[in-house]
Amino acid sequence: MKDLMGRAIWDYYHNENPEDLQTETSISELDELPVEYLFRDFEDMNDIEQKALHLSEGKVLDIGAGAGSHSLFLQNERNLDVTALDISPKSVEVCKLRGIKKAVCENMLDFSDETFDTILLLMNGTGVFESLAKIDTYLQKLYSLLNKGGQILIDSTDILYMFDRDKDGGVYIPAGGYYGELEYVVHYKGESEEPITWLYLDFNTLKNAAQNNGFKIERVLKDEDSYLAKLTKK
């Protein structure tokens, strides 16, 4: 991993000639992602993010923390005990420089030191599951990190709307797998990461997987094709 996302975050924080990130998927063209978006304040976050941050309580694990904006709000404005977790070394360094007291660079599957009352996975949190074939592994890991009575707050988008339709409303979906499994590539300053598998889940698919892994699940907010789900232990 070249850690291009982390480099962009590092460059922006240190004002070292940052450029916009570029992202693309196997079903979408190149798109610009302004790095400053990753540093936004609570007021600039979308309704799903704001709802998740308001629902957070107790000891919190923020998975895929990035530049740490969610963790900072919970730590500084909600006075919660927050651990920011990310696989990007430079992102974690910036989290620390921004004042996050607990920031860890580790894959969530290897993280096992503590358990939590709230686990956050935001900005298409289901993406970290990679594929339907791996979703049970990730959900079982999350189950082990969650305290009794705790909650997982995770968001995603049903991307069915991105596929072409026929005149009768039928959707043309490529054969050979679940339509939400995409290849995702990040570009920064002329360099490209190796493609990763990134998973977008419709709510019913997440619901079935969650229930099969010992969770109760409810959709706490829906915003067009996106949603925020809350998982608790049965």
Side-chain angles (χ1 to χ4, degrees):
M1 184 180 76
K2 298 178 182 178
D3 195 15
L4 297 184
M5 184 75 72
R7 282 170 54 185
I9 287 170
W10 179 271
D11 288 350
Y12 182 87
Y13 181 79
H14 292 281
N15 197 25
E16 295 184 357
N17 300 312
E19 296 179 8
D20 288 348
L21 288 151
Q22 293 181 310
T23 64
E24 61 181 320
T25 74
S26 47
I27 64 166
S28 62
E29 298 179 352
L30 209 62
D31 193 21
E32 299 284 336
L33 174 60
V35 186
E36 64 182 351
Y37 179 75
L38 304 176
F39 288 81
R40 65 202 180 283
D41 293 329
F42 178 82
E43 291 74 18
D44 296 319
M45 295 178 189
N46 64 38
D47 291 344
I48 284 176
E49 292 172 288
Q50 291 186 0
K51 181 71 170 179
L53 295 178
H54 278 310
L55 289 174
S56 297
E57 57 188 16
K59 188 177 174 183
V60 181
L61 178 63
D62 179 13
I63 296 176
S69 295
H70 298 137
S71 293
L72 272 177
F73 175 81
L74 293 176
Q75 175 186 282
N76 296 345
E77 304 301 325
R78 298 281 318 281
N79 296 315
L80 297 178
D81 179 355
V82 185
T83 298
L85 183 71
D86 205 288
I87 61 171
S88 161
K90 285 191 175 295
S91 296
V92 169
E93 286 302 311
V94 170
C95 284
K96 293 175 181 177
L97 290 169
R98 295 184 77 193
I100 296 173
K101 298 173 185 176
K102 298 179 183 178
V104 179
C105 183
E106 197 167 8
N107 188 300
M108 64 166 282
L109 293 177
D110 300 320
F111 183 75
S112 59
D113 294 343
E114 307 173 65
T115 55
F116 298 86
D117 303 305
T118 299
I119 299 176
L120 286 180
L121 296 102
L122 298 178
M123 297 181 68
N124 190 52
T126 65
V128 300
F129 297 161
E130 300 182 68
S131 66
L132 284 183
K134 296 182 179 180
I135 192 170
D136 289 346
T137 299
Y138 281 95
L139 286 173
Q140 289 164 20
K141 179 62 179 181
L142 288 170
Y143 192 96
S144 74
L145 292 171
L146 191 64
N147 287 330
K148 184 177 181 180
Q151 60 178 346
I152 297 166
L153 298 170
I154 183 169
D155 71 328
S156 195
T157 301
D158 183 352
I159 62 169
L160 195 64
Y161 73 91
M162 297 182 69
F163 293 86
D164 293 333
R165 296 177 181 269
D166 62 27
K167 62 182 181 180
D168 298 318
V171 183
Y172 295 109
I173 299 176
Y178 176 65
Y179 65 85
E181 293 179 356
L182 305 183
E183 279 200 341
Y184 184 84
V185 182
V186 173
H187 310 277
Y188 184 63
K189 290 187 173 180
E191 294 187 62
S192 302
E193 289 281 10
E194 288 297 317
I196 62 171
T197 308
W198 192 249
L199 184 63
Y200 289 87
L201 281 176
D202 67 278
F203 179 73
N204 285 333
T205 300
L206 176 60
K207 179 180 178 181
N208 290 336
Q211 290 175 338
N212 288 339
N213 284 278
F215 289 106
K216 295 184 289 186
I217 180 172
E218 62 175 305
R219 182 166 46 196
V220 294
L221 185 64
K222 188 175 186 299
D223 184 5
E224 296 183 345
D225 296 291
S226 299
Y227 63 88
L228 175 68
K230 175 176 153 181
L231 281 64
T232 54
K233 291 184 176 181
K234 289 182 179 178

